[in-house]
Amino acid sequence: MNRRHLLRGLFGVSLALPFLESFSPRKAEAGAGDVPPFAIFMRQANGVVQQTNDEPEMFWPSQTGALTTESLNAESDRTVSELSAYASRLLLVKGINFAFPGNGCGHSGGGNQCLTAQKVSTDPVGNESLAMGESIDNRIARELNAAGVEPLTLYAGKKAGYINEVLSYRDAKVIRAAEHNPINAYKALFGLSDLDPEVLKRLAAQRKSVNDLVREQMQSLMSRKELGKADRDRLDLHFQSIRDLEIGLQCALTKEEVAAMEVMSPDARSNDNLEKVARMQMDIIALAMACGTTRAATIQIGDGNDSTEYYINGVRQKSFHKISHRIDSDGSEGPPIEGAYLLHHEIDRIHARMFRYLLDKLAAYDFGSGSLLDFGVAVWLNDLGNKYHSYTDVPYVLVGGANGYLKTGQYVDVNGVHNGRLLGTIGAALGCKNAAGGPLDDFGDPELPKGMLTEIIA
């Protein structure tokens, strides 16, 4: 398993551990590169407040080029200033377009393309349209994961039924269901899904942790003389992160559900819990990447056209979908919403802060030569460009260099490149290949021009 190790405890529970330097093969190529690069994709809906013919720029920095914490903070009115602490690891990519039109619903068509770069189906159409090929997370998992190991596919927010999952595709018209319930995702990650429910009830009643189930093996591992201080610190953080996650999950459950520990609270999909659930899902993603459980993960924030009613300055607002259209209607006509573009900007910043939480979790895993964040790449993307729900200038925000493959600390405008080139370059950074065995330079619909996005390669 190289640097990935497993502890197996009571009831067959398996606990994957982070990569440990002390037990790695002593060979010339051992080192930072032994932590396999990964990709995480967080999707926001409804575009962002960037410059149009009637609204000001409120998302991107004013100038392309090098990024610093100081330069981002100097423009604190821009959304990306929320990520100023990660300036040296930040890669802002403007000018990415979707290559194909939607088929009756811009939201669905954008969701179909944002991770696939594929055509939108002609049957079905409208809000039921589907992508005509696999998504990049599936390609990464299919090519780089162990056989049968799928990407981690998570969701935060309600499923209103009009458009639900939009991100992860196994193949043409085959969308992957996303897990909205953190406790289910957690149980699957740690091998608890198949345990007898009565066992889970007893464990919850005794307030036992997954750590408790493998405690004997943990103590044996921690007592080994060859385990270095860095690895001891890494394991301490890992075990504490697991317990913190469990505490967070239990706080979202009723007393009866805590005792049963079988299902997440019915409130997991409620409007007011979206941010809380998103953070729990991000905890799970960080643990999965630290363990090497999978090389790709997605988390979708909100339903297809995100009807979440976000809180701004303590006030519950109208649905994000309505705000994004600037009218008090889900259709094309309705009374204007006062200050809608400012509300949209604040919702953009809410998403930036959720993304920053994920970055903080990844950065907390220190491998000496870099944090977990340095070995992979986290991507905050959208399925639309702006208030007009266009397929041009769709924002992609990357953080992390994928073990030095990507050129971070910069803001680039690629002036209308299709998103398949960006997604393929991310895949290549992780090790995905084209049919000829070279770096992945042909991801997406076969009609698209081939090539990698050289502007972001180190």
Side-chain angles (χ1 to χ4, degrees), residues 219-237:
Q219 292 172 343
S220 175
L221 175 62
M222 295 291 277
S223 67
R224 292 178 64 168
K225 293 181 179 179
E226 65 267 44
L227 192 69
K229 181 180 183 302
D231 282 338
R232 291 180 189 278
D233 293 342
R234 196 169 297 136
L235 286 170
D236 284 340
L237 172 64

Side-chain angles (χ1 to χ4, degrees), residues 76 127 193 227 301 359 383 413:
S76 59
N127 62 302
S193 298
L227 192 69
I301 307 297
L359 304 179
D383 49 24
D413 187 342

Side-chain angles (χ1 to χ4, degrees), residues 171-321:
D171 205 342
K173 298 186 182 182
V174 184
I175 193 166
R176 179 178 281 106
E179 179 55 67
H180 76 279
N181 190 334
I183 192 65
N184 290 345
Y186 168 76
K187 285 161 63 176
L189 184 62
F190 293 109
L192 298 172
S193 298
D194 298 327
L195 288 190
D196 187 322
E198 291 301 316
V199 171
L200 290 174
K201 289 180 182 179
R202 293 200 304 272
L203 293 174
Q206 297 169 19
R207 296 296 192 271
K208 282 189 176 292
S209 165
V210 166
N211 294 336
D212 296 322
L213 303 184
V214 294
R215 189 159 303 283
E216 183 177 341
Q217 291 85 347
M218 286 168 55
Q219 292 172 343
S220 175
L221 175 62
M222 295 291 277
S223 67
R224 292 178 64 168
K225 293 181 179 179
E226 65 267 44
L227 192 69
K229 181 180 183 302
D231 282 338
R232 291 180 189 278
D233 293 342
R234 196 169 297 136
L235 286 170
D236 284 340
L237 172 64
H238 188 64
F239 296 142
Q240 184 57 50
S241 295
I242 290 171
R243 192 56 183 150
D244 289 345
L245 171 61
E246 291 172 326
I247 292 169
L249 290 169
Q250 289 179 359
C251 289
L253 301 171
T254 66
K255 291 181 180 179
E256 293 76 18
E257 286 161 338
V258 170
M261 203 178 177
E262 291 177 324
V263 294
M264 182 61 171
S265 164
D267 292 337
R269 290 187 183 180
S270 76
N271 184 94
D272 292 358
N273 282 344
L274 179 142
E275 293 181 55
K276 183 177 183 181
V277 169
R279 289 192 294 270
M280 290 180 183
Q281 301 284 46
M282 291 171 181
D283 290 344
I284 292 167
I285 290 172
L287 286 172
M289 297 307 161
C291 297
T293 304
T294 182
R295 300 279 293 277
T298 62
I299 176 168
Q300 177 176 324
I301 307 297
D303 52 333
N305 55 353
D306 199 356
S307 57
T308 306
E309 297 175 351
Y310 290 92
Y311 283 81
I312 298 174
N313 297 325
V315 178
R316 182 166 173 162
Q317 304 296 324
K318 296 182 184 297
S319 82
F320 183 24
H321 181 231

